[in-house]
Amino acid sequence: MSKNIVELPFTEIVERTSELLRLREDVEKKIRGVVNDVYCRDIPKKEDWSFLVATSSITFVAAYGSGNATIQPGSSTVTFSSLFVADSAMRGRKISFSGNSYIYDVVSLSSSTGVVIGPPLSGTQSVTAQNYNIFQPVYSLNLDFDRFPKNGGLHIYEGGKKKIISEKAYQSYTEDYIPTPSDNIDSCRLLGVDTAGRTLLEVQPPPKNALSSEYDYLRRLDPLRETTAGVVGTVSAAGTTVTGSAGTTRFTEARTGDWFRVDAFGTGNDSEWYRILAIANDSSITLATAFGLSGATSAAYTICSSPKMPTLLHPGILYGTIMQLAADQNDPLVLAYKSEYASILSDAKRIYKTRIYSPEIPTIAEDYHYRR
């Protein structure tokens, strides 16, 4: 732990890992990679952590079926009656016809009263002046979406209460598939990602009317990062303004809430970190608390982020990184590092798991507070 904060910023984790394992400076890139693997992938996948839970919403698109549709077997062009109103937003949606059991994609608009579908109309029967539905069953979720909680994340309100829309596996979802639009959404599944990297969600039956639905989810964490470009021009003792060297420092690479230090005053466990309150430009930042007793001029510095998880788990990132690197080097202490990592995760589970081990404790000896 550094001199003045309980958080473990990214750079300090890397430096302490290097010190504990006695690694060379030229392997810091490797350490940084492993730190981010443990932080972004290993710890988040262990449990449904409460600190990763976020909430967003989806606005479902109403199904459309004004007028009627006509199309011949083997054709891809649908002609609608005069009641149809073309909308470019229909591209990419699904379409179904009365009397035809297949579901088709709306590929494009062919005219003000027609669309092109894919694949061509199946079967041997023509669709002549039949009812149809153009609907949208697939929606993009937030960019930082990682997964739903284990009890389900998508929900609608019924009678003022939340009703969970269950997430089904592929086989169950396809066996129970209902193509007819309805307001009684029964289940959902995750499909992959869109071109922007957002996870796709399919609901069934597809929505009949426009309505909004909330969903809880577990966030995907952004990698930890740092910047050391240029040197600090000036930072006064007990001051909060840090001025960088014009044209070389890149303070805008940081974000508010990141941490700043002057390297000459300590690195690793001896670091003195100050949270960044505001970023004016590439050469000026404001600290949340007054800088130390001594000022600095033309000094090397580090700005880095810290893990967006409770401080109880910060040492877990450190020891999880050490464990992986020690195993790679056949370090005899790897079992001790593994034990410490497991102990930290175990303690965190009791506080930050979204699901508790058991609602009942038969005897006092089974209460973890008592065992301590």
Side-chain angles (χ1 to χ4, degrees), residues 137-142 145 148 189-195 197-203:
V138 178
Y139 298 85
S140 296
L141 301 177
N142 274 19
F145 178 93
F148 283 131
R189 66 167 176 158
L190 300 178
L191 283 176
V193 296
D194 62 15
T195 55
R198 296 173 297 185
T199 300
L200 294 172
L201 174 77
E202 182 177 8
V203 296

Side-chain angles (χ1 to χ4, degrees), residues 53-203:
V53 175
T55 300
S56 189
S57 64
I58 305 172
T59 299
F60 294 124
V61 176
Y64 184 83
S66 295
N68 53 61
T70 297
I71 181 173
Q72 300 302 314
S75 174
S76 297
T77 302
V78 184
T79 302
F80 298 97
S81 63
S82 59
L83 293 177
F84 176 81
V85 178
D87 185 347
S88 60
M90 291 176 177
R91 295 189 187 97
R93 295 181 187 172
K94 301 289 185 179
I95 184 170
S96 62
F97 306 98
S98 295
N100 188 283
S101 59
Y102 292 85
I103 306 297
Y104 305 89
D105 294 318
V106 177
V107 177
S108 63
L109 302 182
S110 59
S111 66
S112 60
T113 57
V115 300
V116 176
I117 64 170
L121 189 73
S122 298
T124 59
Q125 297 296 317
S126 299
V127 172
T128 305
Q130 293 291 329
N131 293 331
Y132 69 94
N133 276 303
I134 295 177
F135 56 90
Q136 182 171 323
V138 178
Y139 298 85
S140 296
L141 301 177
N142 274 19
L143 188 59
D144 64 346
F145 178 93
D146 183 61
R147 64 187 186 274
F148 283 131
K150 291 179 181 177
N151 64 334
L154 182 67
H155 56 262
I156 59 176
Y157 286 94
E158 288 188 352
K161 295 182 179 181
K162 289 184 178 181
K163 175 189 174 183
I164 297 296
I165 305 301
S166 61
E167 180 186 355
K168 289 188 176 180
Y170 173 79
Q171 184 172 350
S172 297
Y173 190 90
T174 53
E175 288 176 350
D176 300 333
Y177 183 71
I178 302 172
T180 305
S182 169
D183 286 333
N184 297 316
I185 296 173
D186 174 74
S187 61
C188 65
R189 66 167 176 158
L190 300 178
L191 283 176
V193 296
D194 62 15
T195 55
R198 296 173 297 185
T199 300
L200 294 172
L201 174 77
E202 182 177 8
V203 296

